[in-house]
Amino acid sequence: MGRSGLALVLAILISFQGTILVRSDGSDHRYKEGDHVPLYANKVGPFHNPSETYRYFDLPFCVTGKEKEKTEALGEVLNGDRLVSTPYELNFRTEKDAKLVCSRKLTKEQVAQFREAVKKDYYFQMYYDDLPIWGFIGTVDKEGKTDPSEYKYFLYKHIQFDILYNKDRVVEISARMDPHSVVDLTEDKDVDVDFRYTAKWKETDTPFEKRMEKYSQSSSLPHHLEIHWFSIINSCVTVLLLTGFLATILMRVLKNDFMKYAQDEEAADDQEETGWKYIHGDVFRFPKHKSLFAASLGSGTQLFTLTIFIFMLALVGVFYPYNRGALFTALVVIYALTSGIAGYTATSFYIQLEGSNWVRNLLLTGCLFCGPLFLMFCFLNTVAIVYSATAALPFGTILVIVLIWTLVTSPLLVLGGIAGKNRKSEFQAPVRTTKYPREIPPLPWYRSTLPQMAMAGFLPFSAIYIELYYIFASVWGHRIYTIYSILFIVFIILLIVTAFITVALTYFQLAAEDHEWWWRSFLCGGSTGLFIYGYCLYYYYARSDMSGFMQTSFFFGYMACICYGFFLMLGSVHQV
């Protein structure tokens, strides 16, 4: 990989560590009375469209010309954060009462810009000592009015910051908009506005170490926990039923027959048999398109490893609420460092299947997931650029990602492929494979691929669908998800149910004398990803208020990539 590649890996790990450990500009979050604590404005956007966010000063708020952008880590940029200093002076334990920020005259165009933002329910997000603050920029008066043309639009011009401190540390902050200090934006005319703010400080006994707990309390309320545990109990019942069902098949039927054919193949060939016994010589015949099959297996194994590492970081508390960019940084770094697993798994399995062109197989493995993701990113990033949204990645960030893929992901993929090629292990089939495949008899429609995939995906999906709402509300909304232990349990149940139902359907397929089970097994295992994407349609139209071309594109575009990753991961995890 060379010195440049190793240097880049170290730089990534340092930035990742910085994202986890460095939580504000203050090195230890300790301040003296009167010390300057910067307030950063992050973004504004429609409340119901979490992906459609813009820079705070894209709206004509007060500017002094001294605003500076905060240097951000890779994950923060990927998260759409664009922090910039504000003219609000919230010095430590220094109270301000209706202090004037600026007086300005809004032109007709600026009034129309603010009015459109108020109409779309724009909110703003700021950070103070790395604590998030939210507020709405205005309000719509609909009382007693049925015709939207009669609505009145008002812009808040006074913010009150309520700050709690414990000795020399900031513990909590909230922003309240004064409903009596507004400016009417209903008409297209120039408006004079005095933007003001108030800062109130109050001492609290809450320790600094627990200041993030308030943001995670909503996800761990008793009634929410009851729903989570109900989901787990429901999933466990499904697992128990499947376990008993499979135990009956495997222990009473399959095990004895398998031992019979493994020990006395010649005697078995002379018998009149039906079902899977009739095609036992074709069961381990290599699948069609074995290069694609091996590549899918390698990519899915890498994604499974990535998921396990993410869960490990989540369980040890790395992804605490509003640790900006930590998750995205972890995804990029761990995916790059686990690419060797994909190369090793794909190539070693491809060699076992007596494949000859392992280099082409390695290229296919590297592009199988990254290719569609890159194409989707290009489309969505173009949409974000057209909308001038913060989701549009700067050229420098794109260049960093390309360098990571070139100097880290690709070399590790090749090294893994070489290690897999040199493994030199042969495929050890437990029974002899006949020279010519038997003809597959005509099967009823419900034994074809699509109905089998529907059956295989429904049970695993039913085991996780209750938890899906909370995940979607966190990723595509403003809820906070922190119960990673429960999510990990649900994930384990998902793997178990997927493996069990896939094994059962594979046995039924063989019993119907259909020996082309390799791809069917993979497709049935991954079909849960298709069900999750179907849930996306339900969530978008029935459970959310998202709208607009950009938000719709981001939601369905990135969810397609996520569900495709689930498809590969679940399809391969039981094969490995």
Side-chain angles (χ1 to χ4, degrees), residues 389-563:
T390 59
L393 296 186
F395 176 76
T397 303
I398 298 176
L399 183 61
V400 169
I401 295 176
V402 171
L403 288 176
I404 292 174
W405 194 87
T406 304
L407 300 179
V408 180
T409 305
S410 298
L412 289 178
L413 180 70
V414 173
L415 290 177
I418 294 174
K421 175 181 176 296
N422 295 331
R423 183 183 175 188
K424 295 186 181 304
S425 61
E426 297 182 356
F427 186 79
Q428 300 293 333
V431 294
R432 175 172 53 85
T433 301
T434 58
K435 186 175 182 181
Y436 299 103
R438 294 183 183 273
E439 182 179 357
I440 300 175
L443 300 176
W445 65 270
Y446 56 84
R447 289 191 180 275
S448 58
T449 302
L450 291 180
Q452 293 289 295
M453 290 176 63
M455 294 173 59
F458 177 75
L459 277 177
F461 175 77
S462 65
I464 65 170
Y465 81 97
I466 296 179
E467 205 69 23
L468 278 180
Y469 169 75
Y470 294 94
I471 299 173
F472 273 62
S474 175
V475 176
W476 300 105
H478 301 281
R479 290 179 179 267
I480 305 171
Y481 195 98
T482 57
I483 316 177
Y484 298 111
S485 56
I486 291 181
L487 183 61
F488 183 67
I489 295 174
V490 173
F491 178 71
I492 296 299
I493 292 175
L494 171 65
L495 297 179
I496 295 173
V497 175
T498 301
F500 279 6
I501 192 65
T502 305
V503 170
L505 290 178
T506 299
Y507 174 76
F508 290 140
Q509 180 185 355
L510 295 176
E513 301 180 9
D514 183 357
H515 54 79
E516 295 181 349
W517 62 274
W518 293 86
W519 273 111
R520 178 78 64 85
S521 176
F522 187 93
L523 295 175
C524 288
S527 60
T528 306
L530 302 180
F531 274 81
I532 296 176
Y533 197 70
Y535 180 82
C536 294
L537 296 171
Y538 166 75
Y539 182 84
Y540 181 86
Y541 291 106
R543 305 301 295 269
S544 77
D545 294 317
M546 291 184 283
S547 61
F549 178 74
M550 177 182 171
Q551 180 61 45
T552 303
S553 300
F554 269 70
F555 178 77
F556 287 106
Y558 280 128
M559 282 309 303
C561 294
I562 294 173
C563 293

Side-chain angles (χ1 to χ4, degrees), residues 172-382:
E172 185 177 331
I173 184 172
S174 60
R176 292 188 292 120
M177 317 306 293
D178 188 351
H180 304 291
S181 181
V182 295
V183 57
D184 193 344
L185 304 174
T186 306
E187 299 180 7
D188 284 326
K189 62 179 182 179
D190 295 349
V191 177
D192 294 319
V193 184
D194 292 336
F195 289 99
R196 298 179 181 273
Y197 71 100
T198 297
K200 299 291 185 181
W201 290 81
K202 185 178 180 180
E203 192 170 8
T204 180
D205 295 330
T206 304
F208 174 82
E209 291 75 15
K210 295 184 178 181
R211 68 176 190 162
M212 286 293 180
E213 287 188 356
K214 62 169 281 189
Y215 302 106
S216 59
Q217 288 176 353
S218 60
S219 65
S220 58
L221 292 176
H223 65 280
H224 284 178
L225 284 176
E226 290 178 4
I227 297 175
H228 289 296
W229 284 114
F230 174 77
S231 173
I232 290 179
I233 293 174
N234 175 62
S235 303
C236 288
V237 171
T238 305
V239 171
L240 290 176
L241 291 175
L242 281 176
T243 303
F245 179 61
L246 280 180
T248 302
I249 294 177
L250 297 179
M251 295 183 67
R252 295 186 179 181
V253 181
L254 189 58
K255 184 178 179 180
N256 293 334
D257 290 341
F258 185 83
M259 293 176 61
K260 172 183 176 182
Y261 282 94
Q263 296 175 2
D264 192 8
E265 296 178 5
E266 296 298 331
D269 288 339
D270 296 334
Q271 297 179 7
E272 289 289 337
E273 301 288 6
T274 60
W276 80 272
K277 308 171 189 179
Y278 184 70
I279 60 165
H280 71 277
D282 297 293
V283 170
F284 294 98
R285 191 177 304 280
F286 295 154
K288 299 177 181 178
H289 313 293
K290 53 189 176 185
S291 180
L292 178 60
F293 187 84
S296 301
L297 198 64
S299 297
T301 305
Q302 179 188 6
L303 293 174
F304 174 72
T305 307
L306 168 67
T307 304
I308 294 299
F309 274 109
I310 292 296
F311 270 118
M312 291 173 59
L313 293 177
L315 293 174
V316 299
V318 170
F319 306 130
Y320 59 84
Y322 299 103
N323 184 5
R324 298 189 310 274
L327 177 60
F328 286 98
T329 305
L331 287 172
V332 172
V333 172
I334 297 175
Y335 183 83
L337 297 180
T338 56
S339 58
I341 296 176
Y344 177 83
T345 304
T347 305
S348 61
F349 194 74
Y350 181 67
I351 295 298
Q352 289 185 54
L353 297 180
E354 300 179 0
S356 57
N357 197 338
W358 68 275
V359 176
R360 185 179 63 181
N361 174 254
L362 201 60
L363 292 175
L364 181 60
T365 304
C367 298
L368 192 62
F369 180 74
C370 288
L373 179 63
F374 175 74
L375 294 177
M376 184 61 68
F377 163 75
C378 291
F379 169 71
L380 296 179
N381 201 61
T382 303

Side-chain angles (χ1 to χ4, degrees), residues 31 33 191:
Y31 306 97
E33 186 172 352
V191 177

Side-chain angles (χ1 to χ4, degrees), residues 1-33:
M1 183 164 56
R3 294 184 177 180
S4 60
L6 292 174
L8 182 59
V9 173
L10 292 175
I12 296 171
L13 293 176
I14 292 173
S15 67
F16 177 47
Q17 183 181 13
T19 305
I20 298 175
L21 300 178
V22 179
R23 304 184 183 179
S24 76
D25 286 348
S27 58
D28 56 1
H29 297 270
R30 298 184 182 274
Y31 306 97
K32 298 178 181 178
E33 186 172 352

